[in-house]
Amino acid sequence: MIHLCDPFEINYKFTITNYEFKKVQETSEQYNFDFHRETAEIVRDGSEELKIKIGEFAGPLDLLLFLIKQEQANIFDIPIAKITQTYLEYIQMMKKLDIAVAADFLVMAATLIEIKSKMLLPRDPKAIGEDEEFDDPRQELVDRLMEYEKFKSAAGMLYERSTIEQAIFTRGPIESDENNAEVDASVFDLLTVFQKIAARHVDEIKMEIEREEISLADMIKSLKARIFEFGEINLLEFFEEMRSKRELVTAFVAVLEIVRTETVRLLQKTTFGDIVLKKV
Amino acid sequence: MEEEVQEIERTPRSPAELMTIVEALVFVADEPVNSRVLADVLDEDRGAIEAAMEELAKEYEAREGGLQIRSIAGGWQIATRTELHEEVRKFLKTRPSAKLSLASLETLAVIAYKQPVTVPEILEIRGVQSATSIKTLLDKRLIVAKGRKEAVGRPMMYGTSKDFLIQFGLRDLTELPSIEDFEDLVS
Amino acid sequence: MEEEVQEIERTPRSPAELMTIVEALVFVADEPVNSRVLADVLDEDRGAIEAAMEELAKEYEAREGGLQIRSIAGGWQIATRTELHEEVRKFLKTRPSAKLSLASLETLAVIAYKQPVTVPEILEIRGVQSATSIKTLLDKRLIVAKGRKEAVGRPMMYGTSKDFLIQFGLRDLTELPSIEDFEDLVS
């Protein structure tokens, strides 16, 4: 299913003739496009034939602006009936192509139909006169379109700027950079990092649950068995065998317990050398 | 020995000396350097640093070499000249990076001009959900969270980042043309 | 289209042009560049490249600027002039340190979301020792001690500081993005 909510992120391009279509291009993630050349296109030639290139509208307002331009209509006097019809045709087309039409496009369709029906209502005779323009059901839509188009133009400006910037390169890495192999951070980095740690932690907890916990009694038992078998145990090596913090603590307590109750001694053969647990 | 003497009673640096030093520092910095930082490190007047940088930029300009001095994101930077992009790209074996989608560019434009701005406010202007675009822009570090709005649900507010200035070649946000300038284009 | 035409009947580059181009290439390179590599990329004679580099090195020498062209490890490189090492070192040392290593960032994230939190608790969550990171964060004043926990050994508890709020552009801790804010964007 293709979602139209963000058509460009999918970069779908269709060519439709007589409601037959050919998928021209399908790529995900990568989008190299020309802001000015690759605008959407709906071509109506004479007959019932309808050619459409879709998937390149950034939203319902974008589509609407396009349709108004296509009709060469004045934005301040939108032929609402005609525009609504084309807009709905476009939505129909989407459905025929089995493209999930984003809710935002449907909301706009509803708005257009509502405006259209309001336009058909007989006007309140009292309202005719100076207030007439005030009551135009299209006014709110016009305002939104005008506001939206400013940002669409600004997006074009940003596109130009980024194109120019891509032609400029900064120096390659130098030795001193390595002292600074660090990352910039924003609050979202904090959150992302925290989520990653949490996920990692969940994995570890799962692993711990899967393992059987060794009780202190069992630990003492196995430790005793080993001492009596080998005569002595390297404590560091013994501790390193422990697979979790909890096991380590248990092992440590077990050692203390054995030293207290049994005839074993803790020995350090050399200063800073390994500590050995030895049968007396 | 000599160095020590210099350290104690440093003779004031000549403008030419200062140009030499700031050129080296701007080169080693891994991002645009603010003249205040340079002034602090060198214990010089900020005005003197600015003057040295301006002079250096002029010198680079006149030299017509492979490099240029740019004032960007509130700092100074050495970079290659635009005209050489083809050769540089061929050498680095890089291709122009994937551009932002139309939807992301629009979202970025709204955020740049309306910041700090919330997701519902962006929806209001664009008429379409912008979550995917906002995620992309956050991932690319072009926008940052700017606290929460004191409104129902306390939504996050977004604004542009320093990376935005760098990637779009802007000294600061005031360098953006006014949004009203785009109005003329509309009708 | 244009590129193709250029590719086929490229007018030979003048020595000055070549100097400009190699300067840009040596500048962007991530290690000293061999003249053979440059010759290959630019489809030029190796002798011409060597000549351009020699000429460029001479120009840098005569200019007495902050940079020099060095022939090192069989390649060419742009570097700061040796005489300026003191200023360069001082500058590199005092670079604003708003940056954090990944380890410190992780530790900071845990402290920010779990505060007040003790060192053993951080170890528990991160699964690795965080002592160095905690020291860094304390040095950068991003975290502060928040008293001792009433538990075995009475370990010190840590929380984020006022500087943390300032550096991350937050008014208070409730402005930290929550998991929900993030889910809104990825859904």
Side-chain angles (χ1 to χ4, degrees), chain B residues 53-68:
Chain B
M53 284 310 310
E54 305 269 7
E55 197 53 47
L56 195 64
K58 259 187 237 160
E59 193 198 300
Y60 269 60
E61 198 63 43
R63 219 182 121 241
E64 291 190 337
L67 309 175
Q68 58 172 322

Side-chain angles (χ1 to χ4, degrees), chain C residues 114-157:
Chain C
K114 291 284 183 181
Q115 60 188 302
V117 64
T118 66
V119 174
E121 285 162 356
I122 298 169
L123 167 67
E124 177 79 6
I125 295 171
R126 283 194 63 214
V128 279
Q129 293 292 345
S130 310
T132 323
S133 298
I134 289 169
K135 171 126 193 336
T136 307
L137 296 172
L138 282 169
D139 286 349
K140 288 186 195 261
R141 297 165 181 281
L142 290 169
I143 60 167
V144 285
K146 298 257 180 188
R148 293 191 180 275
K149 185 162 183 164
E150 291 309 328
V152 187
R154 304 193 71 233
M156 189 60 93
M157 296 186 293

